[in-house]
Amino acid sequence: MTINALLDGLKTFSYERIQLKIGQHYFDATEFKDFYEYKQRKYWNNTIALNKPMFVKFEIPMNNELIDQPIKVLLNDANVWINTTNNSKLSRKLSFNFVSFGEFSIVFDNGNYYFSDKSYEELNYLESKSLDSKMKIQREEAIALRKFMDKPIWLVSDRFDKANDNGEAMFRYLINNGPKNKNYYFVISKESSDFSRLQQEFGDVIIDVYSDQYEIYKAVAEVELLAYLFNPTLRLPAVHLRNITNTKYVFLQHGVLEKITPKFFTRFDYDLDLFVTSLKQEQETVIDSNNGYMLSPEQVVDTMLPRFDERYSNDKKNILIFLTWRKYLVPNANKNGTRDYNEFFKDSDYYKAIINLLNSKKVADLTKRYGYKVKVYLHPELRWQLPDFINQKFENAVEILPADSNFNKMIAESSMVITDFSSIHFDFAYLKKPVVYYQFDKEEFLNKHTADAIWFNYEEMGFGPVVHDQQSLEKEIATYIQIGMSNPKKYVDRIENTFPHFDKQNSKRVYEAVINMLGD
């Protein structure tokens, strides 16, 4: 048996020996290496040394002598406490549970881990005995639903509080074009403004992310297609339902992945079966074992994003400012996925750069003379800072767009976008609309935000000019306005050489990839 593990939260940085101890049997790691580069990052005035995760591999010749023996991990001959990720089928949240690997299972039993050769039915019975009454009822309901449901269930989602991304585009394709031998459901909070909108279009197949219905459907779904993996509710089923699920997980993404971010997408956190990409180099980056995603070539498909199918142009002479967020400028997410307001946000260079741009007299004069409007949309992870912008008076006629704005409409009505490192530039490029990259804090962003690196070279591969100061940005805005927002041939050529398809058949390709994965 091959066991792959991620040792995280370790304080020792010298690894001479890593072993798995099973009873009195010792097995040396056949492979161990840094999972991603150790870094120090500065958050405001505090320097935090990030823990150094290690990828570890063991080869275990399974035999009866290892059955029912306690499993320990030894680092330099010292015991290491074993825990599992939030998305593991094996969880410390239950006093007894297990994960089966065919002939053998790994069991967690009141703080101890061991191998078992008991049947799935025996272990399932023991796990059921450890559940409280509500958990047992939910488990029985899920088992009954699986036994008697007439069609397999497919679940689709975007953010837990907002749709209008790859999930919604994929769901609309499935409802309109998918085979009728499946039941398709879209999952979102009923508190979201998109919930009623989607119900009006699709009916009762829109279900509340916090409902018991979703919890049970999640346990028995054949496929779950997710545009976001970070939402606290959009993960594996509750721990007491995980051993009855055989769901295949498809990551639709919520943009082209131009950054290298394995710490968010490893199979240790999300046991993904299919990972959707758009560009050949993006696909190769995810597959590359040196980047740490740990996905096989068969799991990474270059279908392009479903939302590109729904992109259209209805130019209303809007100049859209859409910058990505800064992880180091917002508090950590709460359990429900929200974030608290950061009173120090207005002290940041990020905030000041945006405010200074919105108060630019040159931009104000240009937009007034040529009839353009400036619109600003804050990244969804910054929406709790909206008061810092709404309560400002600007030199320009500026509209701060609400958090529930329709992305499709926003992009369609824009003549150009001013962005920084946001993947929205691919959406504008797909429509061959002008893009200007305003990277005023590039060094700080690369050192403090979520990416380990960026493979996309904006200067050589980007779809518009790259600037680092407001004066240069004002010059580029003036140029595009004066040439009627036409895109120079240099950038049109890059666009046509970057995107493999403009046929609006991306959702169909994703569907075909899922069917191929299922073997249907």
Side-chain angles (χ1 to χ4, degrees):
M1 175 183 287
T2 299
I3 297 179
N4 294 314
L6 187 67
L7 299 185
D8 203 351
L10 303 176
K11 304 299 182 184
T12 303
F13 296 105
S14 176
Y15 306 100
E16 297 175 2
R17 188 180 181 88
I18 299 178
Q19 293 176 302
L20 203 62
K21 180 185 178 186
I22 307 175
Q24 297 304 311
H25 300 270
Y26 293 80
F27 301 94
D28 289 330
T30 57
E31 181 181 352
F32 60 94
K33 60 184 180 182
D34 291 358
F35 183 59
Y36 49 80
E37 182 184 359
Y38 169 72
K39 293 182 178 179
Q40 283 195 333
R41 295 183 177 175
K42 293 194 74 175
Y43 289 86
W44 294 97
N45 296 321
N46 299 315
T47 299
I48 300 173
L50 299 183
N51 296 331
K52 188 176 186 181
M54 296 292 296
F55 168 73
V56 185
K57 183 176 181 180
F58 299 96
E59 297 290 347
I60 310 299
M62 288 301 300
N63 57 62
N64 291 334
E65 292 181 7
L66 304 181
I67 300 301
D68 298 328
Q69 298 298 311
I71 300 173
K72 305 287 184 184
V73 176
L74 304 180
L75 176 61
N76 294 344
D77 299 321
N79 278 338
V80 175
W81 188 70
I82 302 175
N83 197 6
T84 54
T85 64
N86 290 332
N87 272 347
S88 172
K89 286 191 175 183
L90 207 58
S91 174
R92 284 180 169 267
K93 293 180 180 179
L94 298 179
S95 60
F96 183 100
N97 68 339
F98 70 100
V99 59
S100 181
F101 299 97
E103 187 178 353
F104 300 100
S105 299
I106 296 180
V107 172
F108 173 75
D109 186 358
N110 289 305
N112 297 308
Y113 296 89
Y114 59 86
F115 286 107
S116 175
D117 59 358
K118 288 186 173 67
S119 68
Y120 175 87
E121 290 72 22
E122 288 179 276
L123 293 173
N124 197 40
Y125 171 74
L126 292 171
E127 182 173 311
S128 297
K129 282 179 63 177
S130 71
L131 305 179
D132 63 33
S133 57
K134 182 180 179 181
M135 289 178 172
K136 286 181 181 178
I137 291 170
Q138 273 197 331
R139 193 175 174 113
E140 288 166 3
E141 287 177 350
I143 291 171
L145 176 61
R146 165 166 285 164
K147 184 176 181 181
F148 295 109
M149 65 184 183
D150 57 340
K151 300 176 185 178
I153 289 173
W154 284 28
L155 300 172
V156 190
S157 62
D158 282 321
R159 298 179 67 90
F160 74 100
D161 57 352
K162 184 171 177 56
N164 204 220
D165 207 325
N166 288 308
E168 180 179 333
M170 190 70 215
F171 182 71
R172 186 170 287 108
Y173 173 85
L174 292 171
I175 290 292
N176 294 331
N177 303 287
K180 305 307 177 187
N181 63 344
K182 314 277 187 187
N183 282 323
Y184 308 109
Y185 296 92
F186 191 86
V187 184
I188 190 171
S189 169
K190 67 180 180 182
E191 303 299 322
S192 167
S193 59
D194 287 326
F195 187 89
S196 57
R197 174 181 67 82
L198 292 168
Q199 273 201 328
Q200 287 177 7
E201 180 177 355
F202 298 111
D204 61 4
V205 292
I206 310 302
I207 60 177
D208 181 19
V209 70
Y210 297 110
S211 66
D212 288 342
Q213 179 186 13
Y214 172 58
E215 202 61 68
I216 292 173
Y217 279 16
K218 192 172 186 66
V220 301
E222 180 180 46
V223 174
E224 185 158 10
L225 302 102
L226 308 103
Y228 288 78
L229 300 178
F230 310 133
N231 297 333
T233 47
L234 298 177
R235 296 190 177 183
L236 285 182
V239 290
H240 60 285
L241 298 176
R242 292 183 185 178
N243 271 318
I244 64 172
T245 183
N246 293 308
T247 306
K248 300 294 184 184
Y249 294 97
V250 179
F251 185 33
L252 298 173
Q253 291 209 76
H254 45 276
V256 176
L257 191 61
E258 65 211 302
K259 306 168 186 73
I260 299 175
T261 55
K263 58 176 83 63
F264 297 114
F265 303 131
T266 77
R267 71 168 185 251
F268 296 109
D269 291 309
Y270 305 97
D271 194 11
L272 300 174
D273 297 283
L274 208 62
F275 192 112
V276 170
T277 64
S278 296
L279 313 179
K280 183 59 66 177
Q281 190 165 349
E282 177 194 14
Q283 181 188 34
E284 291 169 352
T285 299
V286 175
I287 292 170
D288 188 342
S289 61
N290 293 320
N291 291 330
Y293 292 97
M294 311 181 88
L295 294 166
S296 69
E298 295 73 27
Q299 292 175 295
V300 186
V301 293
D302 59 340
T303 57
M304 292 189 55
L305 300 180
R307 75 187 190 198
F308 289 152
D309 293 344
E310 300 193 340
R311 293 293 183 245
Y312 67 99
S313 186
N314 182 26
D315 197 331
K316 296 290 182 70
K317 298 191 77 172
N318 296 333
I319 296 174
L320 179 65
I321 299 174
F322 190 123
L323 308 183
T324 195
W325 66 303
R326 303 298 192 267
K327 179 177 171 59
Y328 48 93
L329 296 182
V330 295
N332 289 334
N334 301 314
K335 287 186 178 180
N336 63 358
T338 63
R339 296 180 190 270
D340 297 327
Y341 172 80
N342 176 14
E343 62 180 304
F344 301 108
F345 177 76
K346 290 194 292 185
D347 296 331
S348 67
D349 291 339
Y350 177 86
Y351 175 76
K352 292 172 184 176
I354 298 173
I355 294 298
N356 289 340
L357 174 59
L358 299 182
N359 282 319
S360 164
K361 188 175 186 309
K362 184 169 185 178
V363 173
D365 291 343
L366 280 165
T367 52
K368 184 177 181 179
R369 188 188 319 157
Y370 289 91
Y372 284 90
K373 299 178 288 293
V374 175
K375 300 200 174 187
V376 181
Y377 184 80
L378 287 190
H379 189 281
E381 294 298 339
L382 289 175
R383 63 190 182 276
W384 295 277
Q385 302 301 140
L386 266 171
D388 294 335
F389 294 88
I390 292 173
N391 298 329
Q392 291 282 337
K393 291 185 178 180
F394 302 109
E395 179 78 23
N396 299 334
V398 173
E399 182 181 355
I400 306 298
L401 297 171
D404 61 356
S405 297
N406 184 293
F407 284 144
N408 234 6
K409 186 171 182 286
M410 182 196 312
I411 293 169
E413 294 181 354
S414 297
S415 302
M416 71 178 297
V417 67
I418 298 166
T419 187
D420 50 359
F421 307 95
S422 169
S423 66
I424 197 171
H425 69 112
F426 287 102
D427 296 79
F428 274 78
Y430 186 77
L431 295 172
K432 298 181 180 176
K433 294 188 174 191
V435 176
V436 178
Y437 302 95
Y438 186 26
Q439 298 179 352
F440 53 87
D441 62 346
K442 183 175 182 179
E443 184 175 346
E444 182 180 39
F445 177 84
L446 293 176
N447 286 331
K448 294 184 180 180
H449 196 53
T450 59
D452 287 350
I454 299 178
W455 62 263
F456 188 89
N457 186 314
Y458 296 91
E459 285 79 5
E460 296 179 5
M461 305 168 70
F463 312 117
V466 180
V467 298
H468 303 284
D469 59 82
Q470 184 171 311
Q471 185 177 0
S472 299
L473 175 60
E474 290 169 345
K475 181 179 177 182
E476 295 298 345
I477 294 172
T479 298
Y480 275 111
I481 287 177
Q482 290 162 359
I483 63 174
M485 292 294 177
S486 60
N487 221 348
K489 184 177 183 301
K490 169 185 175 180
Y491 298 123
V492 173
D493 288 346
R494 283 189 189 177
I495 290 167
E496 292 178 347
N497 291 328
T498 297
F499 290 95
H501 308 288
F502 290 92
D503 57 4
K504 297 201 171 185
Q505 297 293 309
N506 307 314
S507 298
K508 180 181 179 182
R509 279 187 285 272
V510 172
Y511 168 74
E512 290 171 346
V514 174
I515 291 300
N516 183 61
M517 172 191 67
L518 294 173
D520 287 1

